[in-house]
Coordinates of all heavy atoms in Angstrom, one line a residue:
V2 N 5.0 13.0 -8.6 CA 5.0 13.0 -7.1 C 3.5 13.2 -6.8 O 2.8 14.0 -7.4 CB 5.8 14.1 -6.6 CG1 5.6 14.3 -5.1 CG2 7.3 13.9 -6.9
Q3 N 3.0 12.5 -5.8 CA 1.7 12.7 -5.3 C 1.8 12.8 -3.7 O 2.6 12.1 -3.2 CB 0.8 11.5 -5.6 CG 0.4 11.4 -7.0 CD -0.5 10.2 -7.3 OE1 -0.1 9.1 -7.1 NE2 -1.7 10.5 -7.6
T4 N 1.0 13.6 -3.2 CA 0.9 13.8 -1.7 C -0.5 13.6 -1.3 O -1.4 14.2 -1.8 CB 1.4 15.1 -1.2 OG1 2.8 15.4 -1.7 CG2 1.4 15.3 0.2
G5 N -0.6 12.6 -0.4 CA -1.9 12.4 0.2 C -2.1 11.2 1.1 O -0.9 10.8 1.7
K6 N -3.1 10.6 1.4 CA -3.3 9.6 2.4 C -3.0 8.2 1.9 O -3.2 7.9 0.7 CB -4.8 9.6 2.8 CG -5.2 10.9 3.6 CD -4.9 10.9 5.0 CE -5.4 12.1 5.7 NZ -4.7 12.5 6.8
A7 N -2.4 7.4 2.8 CA -2.2 6.0 2.5 C -2.9 5.2 3.5 O -3.0 5.6 4.7 CB -0.7 5.8 2.6
S8 N -3.4 4.0 3.2 CA -4.0 3.1 4.0 C -3.3 1.7 3.8 O -2.4 1.6 3.0 CB -5.5 2.9 3.8 OG -5.8 2.7 2.4
F9 N -3.7 0.7 4.5 CA -3.2 -0.6 4.2 C -4.4 -1.7 4.2 O -5.4 -1.6 4.8 CB -2.1 -1.0 5.1 CG -2.5 -1.2 6.6 CD1 -2.8 -2.3 7.1 CD2 -2.6 0.0 7.5 CE1 -3.2 -2.4 8.5 CE2 -2.9 0.0 8.9 CZ -3.2 -1.3 9.3
Y10 N -4.1 -2.9 3.6 CA -4.9 -3.9 3.5 C -5.3 -4.6 4.9 O -4.3 -4.9 5.6 CB -4.4 -5.1 2.6 CG -4.3 -4.8 1.1 CD1 -3.3 -4.1 0.5 CD2 -5.3 -5.3 0.2 CE1 -3.2 -3.9 -0.8 CE2 -5.2 -5.0 -1.1 CZ -4.2 -4.2 -1.8 OH -4.1 -4.1 -3.0
A11 N -6.4 -5.0 5.1 CA -6.8 -5.8 6.2 C -6.3 -7.2 6.0 O -6.2 -7.6 5.0 CB -8.3 -5.8 6.3
D12 N -6.2 -7.8 7.2 CA -5.6 -9.2 7.2 C -6.5 -10.1 6.4 O -6.0 -11.2 5.8 CB -5.4 -9.7 8.6 CG -4.4 -9.0 9.4 OD1 -3.3 -8.6 8.6 OD2 -4.4 -9.1 10.6
K13 N -7.7 -9.9 6.3 CA -8.7 -10.8 5.6 C -8.4 -11.0 4.1 O -8.8 -11.9 3.5 CB -10.1 -10.4 5.8 CG -10.6 -9.1 5.1 CD -12.0 -8.7 5.3 CE -12.3 -7.5 4.5 NZ -13.8 -7.2 4.7
F14 N -7.7 -10.1 3.5 CA -7.3 -10.1 2.1 C -6.1 -11.0 1.9 O -5.7 -11.2 0.7 CB -7.2 -8.6 1.5 CG -8.3 -7.8 1.6 CD1 -8.6 -6.9 2.4 CD2 -9.5 -8.3 0.7 CE1 -9.7 -6.2 2.4 CE2 -10.6 -7.5 0.7 CZ -10.8 -6.5 1.6
D15 N -5.3 -11.4 2.9 CA -4.1 -12.2 2.7 C -4.5 -13.5 1.9 O -5.4 -14.2 2.2 CB -3.5 -12.6 3.9 CG -2.1 -13.1 3.7 OD1 -1.2 -12.4 3.0 OD2 -1.8 -14.1 4.2
G16 N -3.9 -13.6 0.7 CA -4.1 -14.8 -0.2 C -5.1 -14.5 -1.3 O -5.3 -15.4 -2.2
A17 N -5.8 -13.4 -1.2 CA -6.8 -13.0 -2.2 C -6.1 -12.6 -3.5 O -5.0 -11.9 -3.5 CB -7.7 -12.0 -1.8
P18 N -6.7 -12.9 -4.7 CA -6.1 -12.4 -5.9 C -6.2 -10.9 -6.1 O -7.2 -10.3 -5.7 CB -6.8 -13.0 -7.0 CG -8.2 -13.5 -6.4 CD -7.9 -13.6 -4.9
T19 N -5.1 -10.3 -6.6 CA -4.9 -8.8 -6.9 C -5.4 -8.7 -8.3 O -5.5 -9.6 -9.1 CB -3.6 -8.3 -6.6 OG1 -2.7 -8.9 -7.6 CG2 -3.2 -8.6 -5.2
A20 N -5.5 -7.5 -8.8 CA -5.9 -7.1 -10.1 C -4.8 -7.6 -11.0 O -5.2 -7.9 -12.3 CB -6.1 -5.6 -10.3
S21 N -3.6 -7.7 -10.7 CA -2.5 -8.1 -11.6 C -2.5 -9.6 -11.7 O -1.7 -10.3 -12.5 CB -1.3 -7.8 -11.1 OG -0.9 -8.5 -9.8
G22 N -3.4 -10.5 -10.9 CA -3.3 -11.9 -10.9 C -2.5 -12.5 -9.8 O -2.7 -13.6 -9.6
E23 N -1.6 -11.7 -9.2 CA -0.8 -12.2 -8.2 C -1.6 -12.3 -6.9 O -2.5 -11.3 -6.7 CB 0.3 -11.1 -8.0 CG 1.4 -11.4 -7.2 CD 2.5 -10.3 -7.1 OE1 2.7 -9.5 -8.2 OE2 3.1 -10.0 -6.1
K24 N -1.3 -13.1 -6.1 CA -2.1 -13.3 -4.7 C -1.4 -12.2 -3.7 O -0.3 -11.9 -3.7 CB -1.9 -14.6 -4.0 CG -2.7 -15.6 -4.7 CD -2.7 -16.9 -4.0 CE -3.6 -17.9 -4.7 NZ -3.7 -19.2 -4.0
Y25 N -2.4 -11.5 -3.0 CA -1.9 -10.5 -2.0 C -1.3 -11.3 -0.8 O -1.8 -12.2 -0.3 CB -3.1 -9.7 -1.5 CG -2.7 -8.8 -0.3 CD1 -1.8 -7.8 -0.4 CD2 -3.2 -9.2 1.0 CE1 -1.3 -7.2 0.8 CE2 -2.8 -8.5 2.1 CZ -1.8 -7.5 2.0 OH -1.5 -6.8 3.2
R26 N -0.1 -10.8 -0.5 CA 0.6 -11.4 0.8 C 1.0 -10.3 1.7 O 1.6 -9.4 1.2 CB 1.9 -12.1 0.3 CG 1.5 -13.5 -0.4 CD 0.9 -14.4 0.4 NE 0.5 -15.6 -0.4 CZ -0.5 -16.5 -0.2 NH1 -1.4 -16.2 0.8 NH2 -0.8 -17.4 -0.9
H27 N 0.5 -10.3 2.9 CA 0.8 -9.1 3.8 C 2.2 -9.0 4.1 O 2.6 -8.0 4.6 CB -0.2 -9.3 5.0 CG 0.2 -10.4 6.0 ND1 1.2 -10.4 6.8 CD2 -0.4 -11.6 6.1 CE1 1.2 -11.5 7.5 NE2 0.1 -12.2 7.0
N28 N 3.1 -10.0 4.0 CA 4.5 -9.9 4.2 C 5.3 -9.3 3.0 O 6.5 -9.3 3.2 CB 4.9 -11.1 4.8 CG 4.9 -12.3 3.8 OD1 4.1 -12.2 2.7 ND2 5.7 -13.3 3.9
K29 N 4.8 -9.0 2.0 CA 5.5 -8.5 0.8 C 5.2 -7.0 0.8 O 4.3 -6.5 1.3 CB 4.9 -9.1 -0.5 CG 5.0 -10.6 -0.5 CD 6.3 -11.2 -1.0 CE 6.2 -12.6 -1.1 NZ 7.5 -13.2 -1.6
L30 N 6.2 -6.4 0.1 CA 6.2 -4.9 0.0 C 5.4 -4.5 -1.3 O 6.2 -4.3 -2.4 CB 7.6 -4.3 0.1 CG 8.3 -4.5 1.4 CD1 9.7 -4.0 1.5 CD2 7.5 -3.8 2.6
T31 N 4.2 -4.6 -1.3 CA 3.4 -4.3 -2.5 C 2.3 -3.3 -2.1 O 2.1 -2.8 -1.0 CB 2.6 -5.6 -3.0 OG1 1.7 -6.1 -1.9 CG2 3.7 -6.7 -3.4
A32 N 1.6 -2.8 -3.3 CA 0.6 -1.8 -3.1 C -0.4 -1.7 -4.2 O 0.0 -2.2 -5.3 CB 1.3 -0.4 -3.0
A33 N -1.5 -1.0 -3.9 CA -2.5 -0.8 -5.0 C -2.5 0.7 -5.3 O -2.4 1.6 -4.4 CB -3.9 -1.2 -4.4
H34 N -2.6 1.0 -6.6 CA -2.7 2.4 -7.1 C -3.7 2.4 -8.2 O -3.8 1.4 -8.9 CB -1.4 2.8 -7.5 CG -1.3 4.3 -7.8 ND1 -1.7 4.8 -9.2 CD2 -0.9 5.4 -7.1 CE1 -1.5 6.1 -9.1 NE2 -1.1 6.6 -7.9
R35 N -4.4 3.4 -8.4 CA -5.5 3.5 -9.4 C -4.9 3.4 -10.8 O -5.6 2.9 -11.7 CB -6.3 4.7 -9.3 CG -7.2 4.8 -8.0 CD -8.0 6.0 -7.8 NE -8.7 5.9 -6.6 CZ -9.0 6.9 -5.8 NH1 -8.7 8.1 -6.3 NH2 -9.5 6.8 -4.7
S36 N -3.8 4.0 -11.1 CA -3.4 4.0 -12.5 C -1.9 3.7 -12.9 O -1.6 3.5 -14.0 CB -3.6 5.5 -13.1 OG -2.8 6.4 -12.2
L37 N -1.0 3.6 -11.9 CA 0.3 3.2 -12.3 C 0.4 1.8 -12.7 O -0.4 0.9 -12.2 CB 1.2 3.3 -11.0 CG 1.5 4.7 -10.6 CD1 2.3 4.7 -9.2 CD2 2.3 5.5 -11.5
P38 N 1.2 1.5 -13.8 CA 1.3 0.2 -14.2 C 1.8 -0.9 -13.3 O 2.6 -0.5 -12.4 CB 2.4 0.2 -15.4 CG 2.4 1.8 -15.6 CD 2.1 2.5 -14.4
F39 N 1.3 -2.1 -13.4 CA 1.8 -3.2 -12.5 C 3.2 -3.3 -12.7 O 3.8 -3.2 -13.8 CB 1.0 -4.5 -13.0 CG -0.4 -4.4 -12.6 CD1 -1.3 -5.0 -13.6 CD2 -1.0 -3.8 -11.5 CE1 -2.6 -5.0 -13.4 CE2 -2.4 -3.8 -11.4 CZ -3.3 -4.5 -12.3
G40 N 4.0 -3.6 -11.6 CA 5.4 -3.7 -11.6 C 6.1 -2.4 -11.3 O 7.3 -2.4 -11.1
T41 N 5.4 -1.3 -11.3 CA 6.1 -0.1 -11.0 C 6.6 0.0 -9.5 O 5.7 -0.4 -8.6 CB 5.1 1.1 -11.3 OG1 4.7 1.2 -12.6 CG2 5.7 2.5 -10.8
K42 N 7.8 0.5 -9.3 CA 8.2 0.5 -7.9 C 8.0 2.0 -7.6 O 8.3 3.0 -8.3 CB 9.8 0.2 -7.9 CG 10.1 -1.2 -8.2 CD 11.6 -1.5 -8.1 CE 11.7 -2.9 -8.3 NZ 13.2 -3.3 -8.2
V43 N 7.5 2.2 -6.3 CA 7.1 3.5 -5.8 C 7.8 3.7 -4.4 O 7.7 2.8 -3.6 CB 5.6 3.6 -5.6 CG1 5.1 4.8 -5.0 CG2 5.0 3.3 -7.0
K44 N 8.3 4.8 -4.3 CA 8.9 5.1 -2.9 C 7.7 5.9 -2.2 O 7.2 7.0 -2.5 CB 10.1 6.0 -3.0 CG 10.6 6.3 -1.5 CD 12.0 6.9 -1.5 CE 12.1 8.3 -2.1 NZ 13.4 9.0 -1.9
V45 N 7.4 5.3 -1.0 CA 6.2 6.0 -0.2 C 7.0 6.5 1.1 O 7.8 5.8 1.8 CB 5.2 4.9 0.2 CG1 4.2 5.5 1.1 CG2 4.7 4.3 -1.1
T46 N 6.7 7.7 1.4 CA 7.2 8.4 2.7 C 6.1 8.7 3.7 O 5.1 9.3 3.2 CB 8.1 9.7 2.3 OG1 9.0 9.4 1.4 CG2 8.6 10.3 3.6
N47 N 6.3 8.3 4.8 CA 5.3 8.8 5.9 C 5.9 10.2 6.3 O 6.8 10.4 7.0 CB 5.4 7.8 7.1 CG 4.3 8.2 8.2 OD1 3.9 9.3 8.4 ND2 4.1 7.2 9.1
L48 N 5.1 11.2 6.0 CA 5.5 12.5 6.3 C 5.5 12.9 7.8 O 6.1 13.9 8.2 CB 4.6 13.5 5.5 CG 4.8 13.4 3.9 CD1 3.7 14.3 3.3 CD2 6.1 13.6 3.5
G49 N 4.8 12.0 8.6 CA 4.7 12.3 10.0 C 6.1 11.9 10.6 O 6.3 12.4 11.8
N50 N 6.8 10.9 10.1 CA 8.0 10.4 10.8 C 9.2 10.3 9.8 O 10.2 9.9 10.2 CB 7.8 9.1 11.5 CG 7.3 8.0 10.6 OD1 7.5 8.1 9.3 ND2 6.7 6.9 11.2
N51 N 9.0 10.6 8.6 CA 10.0 10.6 7.5 C 10.5 9.1 7.2 O 11.5 8.9 6.6 CB 11.1 11.6 7.8 CG 10.8 12.9 7.6 OD1 10.1 13.3 6.6 ND2 11.3 13.7 8.5
K52 N 9.8 8.1 7.6 CA 10.1 6.7 7.3 C 9.8 6.4 5.8 O 8.7 7.0 5.3 CB 9.4 5.7 8.2 CG 9.6 5.8 9.7 CD 10.9 5.1 10.0 CE 11.0 5.2 11.5 NZ 12.3 4.6 11.9
E53 N 10.5 5.8 5.2 CA 10.3 5.4 3.7 C 10.4 4.0 3.4 O 10.9 3.1 4.1 CB 11.5 6.1 2.8 CG 11.4 7.6 2.9 CD 12.7 8.1 2.1 OE1 13.5 7.4 1.8 OE2 12.5 9.4 1.8
V54 N 9.6 3.5 2.4 CA 9.6 2.1 1.9 C 9.4 2.1 0.4 O 8.7 3.1 -0.1 CB 8.5 1.3 2.6 CG1 7.1 1.7 2.3 CG2 8.6 -0.3 2.4
I55 N 10.0 1.2 -0.3 CA 9.7 1.0 -1.7 C 8.8 -0.1 -1.9 O 9.1 -1.3 -1.3 CB 11.0 0.8 -2.5 CG1 11.8 2.2 -2.3 CG2 10.8 0.4 -3.9 CD1 13.2 2.1 -3.0
V56 N 7.7 0.1 -2.5 CA 6.7 -1.0 -2.8 C 6.6 -1.2 -4.3 O 6.9 -0.3 -5.1 CB 5.3 -0.7 -2.1 CG1 5.5 -0.6 -0.7 CG2 4.8 0.6 -2.8
V57 N 6.0 -2.4 -4.7 CA 5.7 -2.7 -6.1 C 4.2 -2.7 -6.3 O 3.6 -3.2 -5.5 CB 6.4 -4.1 -6.5 CG1 6.0 -4.4 -8.0 CG2 7.8 -4.0 -6.4
I58 N 3.7 -2.0 -7.3 CA 2.3 -1.9 -7.6 C 1.9 -3.3 -8.2 O 2.4 -3.5 -9.2 CB 2.0 -0.7 -8.5 CG1 2.5 0.6 -8.0 CG2 0.5 -0.8 -8.8 CD1 1.8 1.0 -6.7
N59 N 0.8 -3.9 -7.6 CA 0.4 -5.2 -8.1 C -1.1 -5.2 -8.0 O -1.8 -6.2 -8.2 CB 0.9 -6.4 -7.4 CG 0.5 -6.5 -6.0 OD1 0.0 -5.6 -5.4 ND2 0.7 -7.7 -5.5
D60 N -1.8 -4.1 -7.7 CA -3.3 -4.1 -7.6 C -3.9 -2.8 -7.9 O -3.1 -1.8 -8.1 CB -3.7 -4.5 -6.1 CG -5.0 -5.0 -6.1 OD1 -5.7 -5.3 -7.1 OD2 -5.6 -5.3 -4.8
R61 N -5.2 -2.7 -8.0 CA -5.8 -1.4 -8.4 C -6.6 -1.0 -7.0 O -7.0 -1.8 -6.2 CB -6.8 -1.6 -9.5 CG -6.2 -1.8 -10.8 CD -5.5 -0.5 -11.3 NE -4.7 -0.7 -12.4 CZ -3.3 -0.5 -12.5 NH1 -2.7 0.0 -11.5 NH2 -2.7 -0.8 -13.6
G62 N -6.6 0.3 -6.9 CA -7.2 0.9 -5.8 C -6.4 2.0 -5.3 O -5.4 2.5 -6.0
P63 N -6.6 2.6 -4.2 CA -7.8 2.4 -3.3 C -9.0 3.0 -3.8 O -9.0 4.1 -4.5 CB -7.4 3.1 -1.9 CG -6.4 4.2 -2.5 CD -5.7 3.6 -3.5
W64 N -10.2 2.5 -3.5 CA -11.4 2.9 -4.0 C -12.2 3.7 -3.0 O -13.5 3.8 -2.9 CB -12.3 1.9 -4.5 CG -11.6 1.0 -5.5 CD1 -11.0 -0.3 -5.5 CD2 -11.0 1.6 -6.8 NE1 -10.4 -0.5 -6.7 CE2 -10.3 0.6 -7.5 CE3 -11.1 2.7 -7.4 CZ2 -9.7 0.7 -8.6 CZ3 -10.6 2.9 -8.7 CH2 -9.8 1.8 -9.3
V65 N -11.4 4.4 -2.1 CA -12.0 5.2 -1.1 C -11.5 6.7 -1.4 O -10.3 6.8 -1.7 CB -11.5 4.8 0.4 CG1 -12.0 5.9 1.4 CG2 -12.0 3.4 0.7
D66 N -12.4 7.6 -1.4 CA -12.0 9.0 -1.7 C -10.9 9.5 -0.8 O -10.8 9.0 0.4 CB -13.2 10.0 -1.5 CG -14.2 9.9 -2.7 OD1 -13.8 9.3 -3.7 OD2 -15.4 10.3 -2.5
N67 N -10.1 10.3 -1.3 CA -9.0 11.1 -0.4 C -7.8 10.1 -0.1 O -7.1 10.3 0.8 CB -9.6 11.7 0.9 CG -10.5 12.8 0.4 OD1 -10.4 13.4 -0.5 ND2 -11.5 12.8 1.2
R68 N -7.7 9.0 -0.7 CA -6.6 8.1 -0.5 C -6.0 7.8 -1.8 O -6.5 7.7 -2.9 CB -7.0 6.7 0.1 CG -7.6 6.8 1.4 CD -7.8 5.5 2.1 NE -8.8 5.7 3.3 CZ -9.2 4.9 3.9 NH1 -9.0 3.5 3.5 NH2 -10.0 5.0 4.9
I69 N -4.5 7.8 -1.7 CA -3.7 7.6 -3.0 C -3.4 6.2 -3.3 O -3.2 5.7 -4.3 CB -2.5 8.6 -3.0 CG1 -3.0 10.1 -3.1 CG2 -1.6 8.3 -4.0 CD1 -2.0 11.0 -2.9
I70 N -3.0 5.5 -2.0 CA -2.3 4.3 -2.2 C -2.8 3.4 -1.0 O -3.0 3.8 0.0 CB -0.8 4.4 -2.2 CG1 -0.1 3.2 -2.8 CG2 -0.2 4.8 -1.0 CD1 1.4 3.4 -3.3
D71 N -2.9 2.1 -1.4 CA -3.2 1.1 -0.4 C -1.9 0.2 -0.2 O -1.5 -0.4 -1.2 CB -4.4 0.0 -0.8 CG -5.7 0.6 -0.3 OD1 -5.8 1.2 0.7 OD2 -6.7 0.3 -0.9
L72 N -1.4 0.0 0.8 CA -0.2 -0.6 1.0 C -0.4 -2.0 1.7 O -1.3 -2.2 2.3 CB 0.8 0.2 2.0 CG 1.2 1.6 1.6 CD1 1.8 2.3 2.7 CD2 2.1 1.6 0.3
S73 N 0.6 -2.8 1.5 CA 0.6 -4.2 2.2 C 0.8 -3.8 3.6 O 1.3 -2.8 4.0 CB 1.7 -5.1 1.7 OG 2.9 -4.6 1.9
K74 N 0.4 -4.8 4.5 CA 0.6 -4.6 6.0 C 2.1 -4.5 6.3 O 2.3 -3.5 7.2 CB 0.0 -5.8 6.7 CG 0.0 -5.5 8.3 CD -0.9 -6.6 8.9 CE -0.9 -6.3 10.4 NZ -1.7 -7.3 11.1
S75 N 3.0 -5.1 5.7 CA 4.4 -5.1 6.1 C 4.9 -3.8 5.7 O 5.8 -3.1 6.4 CB 5.1 -6.3 5.4 OG 5.1 -6.2 4.1
A76 N 4.4 -3.2 4.5 CA 4.8 -1.8 4.2 C 4.5 -0.8 5.2 O 5.1 0.1 5.5 CB 4.3 -1.4 2.8
A77 N 3.2 -0.9 5.6 CA 2.6 0.0 6.7 C 3.4 -0.2 7.9 O 3.6 0.8 8.7 CB 1.1 -0.3 6.8
E78 N 3.7 -1.3 8.3 CA 4.6 -1.6 9.6 C 5.9 -0.8 9.4 O 6.4 -0.1 10.3 CB 4.9 -3.1 9.7 CG 3.6 -3.8 10.3 CD 3.7 -5.3 10.4 OE1 4.7 -5.9 9.6 OE2 2.9 -5.9 10.9
K79 N 6.5 -0.9 8.3 CA 7.8 -0.2 8.0 C 7.7 1.3 8.1 O 8.6 2.0 8.6 CB 8.5 -0.6 6.7 CG 9.0 -2.1 6.8 CD 9.7 -2.3 5.4 CE 10.3 -3.7 5.5 NZ 11.5 -3.8 6.4
L80 N 6.5 1.9 7.7 CA 6.2 3.3 7.8 C 5.6 3.6 9.2 O 5.4 4.8 9.3 CB 5.3 3.6 6.7 CG 5.7 3.6 5.3 CD1 4.6 3.7 4.2 CD2 6.9 4.4 5.0
E81 N 5.5 2.7 10.0 CA 5.0 2.9 11.4 C 3.6 3.6 11.5 O 3.5 4.5 12.3 CB 6.1 3.7 12.3 CG 7.4 2.8 12.3 CD 8.5 3.4 13.3 OE1 8.3 4.6 13.6 OE2 9.5 2.8 13.4
F82 N 2.7 3.1 10.8 CA 1.3 3.7 10.9 C 0.3 2.7 11.1 O -1.0 3.0 10.9 CB 1.0 4.7 9.8 CG 0.6 4.1 8.5 CD1 -0.7 3.8 8.1 CD2 1.5 3.9 7.6 CE1 -1.0 3.4 6.9 CE2 1.3 3.4 6.3 CZ 0.0 3.1 6.0
I83 N 0.6 1.5 11.5 CA -0.3 0.4 11.8 C -1.4 0.8 12.8 O -2.6 0.7 12.5 CB 0.3 -0.9 12.3 CG1 1.2 -1.5 11.1 CG2 -0.8 -1.9 12.8 CD1 0.5 -2.2 10.1
N84 N -1.1 1.4 13.7 CA -2.0 1.8 14.9 C -3.0 3.0 14.4 O -4.0 3.0 14.9 CB -1.2 2.3 16.2 CG -0.6 1.1 16.8 OD1 -1.0 -0.1 16.7 ND2 0.5 1.3 17.5
Q85 N -2.5 3.9 13.5 CA -3.4 4.9 13.0 C -4.2 4.5 11.9 O -5.3 5.1 11.8 CB -2.3 6.1 12.6 CG -1.5 6.7 13.6 CD -0.2 6.1 13.6 OE1 0.0 4.9 13.4 NE2 0.8 6.9 14.0
G86 N -3.9 3.5 11.2 CA -4.8 3.0 10.0 C -4.5 3.8 8.7 O -4.6 3.3 7.6
L87 N -4.2 5.1 8.8 CA -3.9 6.1 7.8 C -2.7 6.8 8.0 O -2.4 7.2 9.2 CB -5.1 7.1 7.5 CG -6.4 6.4 7.0 CD1 -7.5 7.6 7.0 CD2 -6.3 5.8 5.7
A88 N -2.0 7.2 7.0 CA -0.9 8.2 7.2 C -0.9 9.2 5.9 O -1.4 8.8 4.9 CB 0.5 7.4 7.3

């Protein structure tokens, strides 16, 4: 279990290759994590509203201090933090 900040990919990354070789798609429920194996399913909870989503790790990152996970845009939408940028 990890607790901390989540962010999401900017639209400009849609179609770009991820570290796993898969292309990033903003409409898929995927995420980047620094060390979890590719293919790992992770439940992410927005502690501000208790919304949850399950994502699959397919990339490495985030490479910004104080962030644990970078989510796809669709995952961030399900967690309802698009307007805030971080949760």
Side-chain angles (χ1 to χ4, degrees):
V2 174
Q3 290 182 294
T4 302
K6 300 275 186 201
S8 54
F9 64 93
Y10 287 84
D12 288 335
K13 70 180 181 178
F14 294 109
D15 195 51
T19 64
S21 68
E23 192 178 324
K24 287 186 179 182
Y25 167 69
R26 296 291 180 210
H27 65 84
N28 62 338
K29 302 280 185 178
L30 296 176
T31 59
H34 189 274
R35 290 183 187 145
S36 61
L37 289 173
F39 297 137
T41 300
K42 292 181 180 180
V43 177
K44 180 168 70 171
V45 180
T46 304
N47 181 339
L48 297 177
N50 61 17
N51 290 318
K52 300 281 184 179
E53 296 179 341
V54 67
I55 295 177
V56 296
V57 177
I58 302 300
N59 72 341
D60 202 6
R61 291 288 170 238
W64 305 115
V65 176
D66 287 344
N67 301 323
R68 294 190 196 166
I69 292 176
I70 197 165
D71 270 334
L72 301 169
S73 64
K74 187 172 183 181
S75 61
E78 287 171 344
K79 289 187 178 288
L80 294 173
E81 296 181 355
F82 75 92
I83 290 288
N84 293 333
Q85 296 93 328
L87 293 173

